[in-house]
Amino acid sequence: MRPKITFYEIKDILESGFPLSDNIISYLVNRDVLLGVIDNILPNYRESKIMFEPTYKRDCQTGIMKLEKNKKFKRIGRLPGYADRILYKLGNPSLNIKEHIYDSIKLTGNDHFPVLYFCRLHSFTIGIVTWNIGSADKNNICPAKLLKYFEDLGEYTDILVIGFQEASIYSIPCLDIWKNIYNKQIHISGTNFKSYFGHLIGYGLETCIFWDDSVVQIDELKQDSSNERFTKASHCFRFRIKNNRHELVCSFANIHAPFTNNKNKYYDFIKNASQKLDNLGVSDIYFIFGDLNSRSKLPLCSDCLDLYIKNIYLNHKIPPIGYIENKYLSRKVPNEMRKIIGNNKTLLLSPTRPLPKLKTPTNLFSKQFFL
């Protein structure tokens, strides 16, 4: 049986700055929460194979993984996550995706890397970018860096959809840079008070659609942004794209899902977005993308069960205490710790002894883990 790799060991590997091996990426993907339940909460939705490193949590300046943050003078650990995702479902069984690209884009400026999905359907090319920009300075998340990625790719898509999460009135980047490529654009933003307040506090949702009407035309746009909350939201929309050869009806949902210990609440939010897409009408293809807030479950020690929690307090001088899930405490939690843990939203722990620093990120992944 393959031994478990602990949170602390993975943390050392990811924060080393070395490129991750395929084995490490596969290990984290196989522990991804969303992939483990996708068939139940999003029937018929699929995701291209993940070959890139976790997109969260990144150092804003360097882009290197940084699985901790300071919060009220305490060090908070975070599980690594493939938070930023793009899923699809074929509504037309005769439709084939001829080619695709699914990759993260190494842009600094915030603690998430954006993710790109590029596909070819009939005679159309569609590009989708999801980008959690947090409260970053808009000069640091200049879309010129994103534009350069397309220039290096050597091809622009017929339609480009960009979904921003955690946008504020101060951080939404100027998108005029795309006007030399796409002469038409639509901006989708919530119109209710919750959406406006969300933008004020830095948790707004913005969706932008770009196209060149000399190449393709878009019509019959329908949208639903009624699921706006102060910090989480979804933008669901549907339109018909056509050229002189084909027509294609596409549905999209840009969502910022909640991270919560209550998994049912998390799953219900994502399922709700799927239902809203279905309510907009039948489409040839459906896309759900955004910050889906998924994480790779990891144990704290080799004989512990896997964690799925938001905060891990790293600087408390207490022994390892197991894990919390679905509001139940593990048997490994001493009785004297139950009052400290309180509402089960955070976990307080520290390793029994300091872990050795790794010289290379491959030390932990010797043959014993992959026999």
Side-chain angles (χ1 to χ4, degrees), residues 259-307:
F259 186 103
T260 171
N261 291 351
N262 184 342
K263 290 185 180 179
N264 289 332
K265 183 178 179 181
Y266 170 65
Y267 300 154
D268 288 345
F269 188 94
I270 296 177
K271 286 190 289 187
N272 182 264
S274 173
Q275 292 167 359
K276 285 182 176 295
L277 283 188
D278 293 338
N279 292 339
L280 290 176
V282 177
S283 293
D284 296 305
I285 189 166
Y286 303 80
F287 295 99
I288 292 179
F289 65 98
D291 181 359
L292 303 189
N293 251 319
S294 188
R295 300 286 191 274
S296 295
K297 296 189 295 183
L298 297 169
L300 299 176
C301 52
S302 59
D303 59 347
C304 291
L305 296 177
D306 294 336
L307 294 170

Side-chain angles (χ1 to χ4, degrees), residues 27-42:
Y27 185 82
L28 294 172
V29 169
N30 288 337
R31 292 176 166 274
D32 179 73
V33 170
L34 182 60
L35 280 181
V37 297
I38 189 171
D39 289 335
N40 293 327
I41 66 172
L42 292 174

Side-chain angles (χ1 to χ4, degrees), residues 137-264:
D137 186 327
K138 64 182 177 182
N139 294 321
N140 293 333
I141 53 172
C142 176
K145 299 176 183 178
L146 185 60
L147 179 61
K148 186 178 185 305
Y149 182 91
F150 280 82
E151 292 172 347
D152 294 341
L153 189 63
E155 185 173 0
Y156 300 102
T157 55
D158 295 326
I159 289 181
L160 175 63
V161 178
I162 303 179
F164 296 105
Q165 303 89 37
E166 293 194 20
S168 78
I169 58 176
Y170 308 104
S171 65
I172 299 171
C174 177
L175 299 173
D176 287 346
I177 192 168
W178 295 101
K179 66 183 180 182
N180 294 327
I181 302 165
Y182 304 105
N183 61 5
K184 296 289 185 180
Q185 58 181 272
I186 296 172
H187 290 248
I188 298 175
S189 182
T191 57
N192 59 23
F193 171 75
K194 290 183 178 180
S195 172
Y196 177 75
F197 187 76
H199 281 78
L200 284 179
I201 62 176
Y203 287 94
L205 200 66
E206 292 285 326
T207 309
C208 307
I209 309 166
F210 302 89
W211 76 99
D212 182 348
D213 68 354
S214 67
V215 178
V216 296
Q217 293 78 47
I218 284 181
D219 60 20
E220 301 181 20
L221 176 67
K222 295 173 63 177
Q223 56 181 294
D224 182 348
S225 58
S226 60
N227 197 29
E228 294 278 0
R229 304 181 186 178
F230 293 126
T231 60
K232 309 300 176 186
S234 64
H235 287 167
C236 301
F237 53 99
R238 173 182 179 270
F239 55 72
R240 182 181 303 275
I241 174 176
K242 54 188 178 182
N243 56 22
N244 55 4
R245 296 174 58 191
H246 296 105
E247 291 188 358
L248 194 69
V249 180
C250 308
S251 290
F252 300 82
N254 172 22
I255 73 175
H256 187 194
F259 186 103
T260 171
N261 291 351
N262 184 342
K263 290 185 180 179
N264 289 332

Side-chain angles (χ1 to χ4, degrees), residues 9 25-26 36 50 95 115 141 273 300 319 336 351:
E9 293 167 330
I25 291 175
S26 177
I50 297 175
L95 191 64
V115 169
I141 53 172
L300 299 176
E336 62 269 20

Side-chain angles (χ1 to χ4, degrees), residues 91-160:
N92 182 350
S94 64
L95 191 64
N96 292 316
I97 298 178
K98 298 179 182 178
E99 59 185 71
H100 72 273
I101 295 172
Y102 191 39
D103 199 8
S104 66
I105 307 173
K106 295 176 174 59
L107 299 184
T108 57
N110 193 39
D111 57 0
H112 290 249
F113 276 169
V115 169
L116 164 76
Y117 182 77
F118 170 108
C119 68
R120 190 179 301 276
L121 299 162
H122 290 321
S123 56
F124 304 108
T125 54
I126 299 174
I128 303 172
V129 175
T130 174
W131 197 353
N132 183 315
I133 56 177
S135 55
D137 186 327
K138 64 182 177 182
N139 294 321
N140 293 333
I141 53 172
C142 176
K145 299 176 183 178
L146 185 60
L147 179 61
K148 186 178 185 305
Y149 182 91
F150 280 82
E151 292 172 347
D152 294 341
L153 189 63
E155 185 173 0
Y156 300 102
T157 55
D158 295 326
I159 289 181
L160 175 63

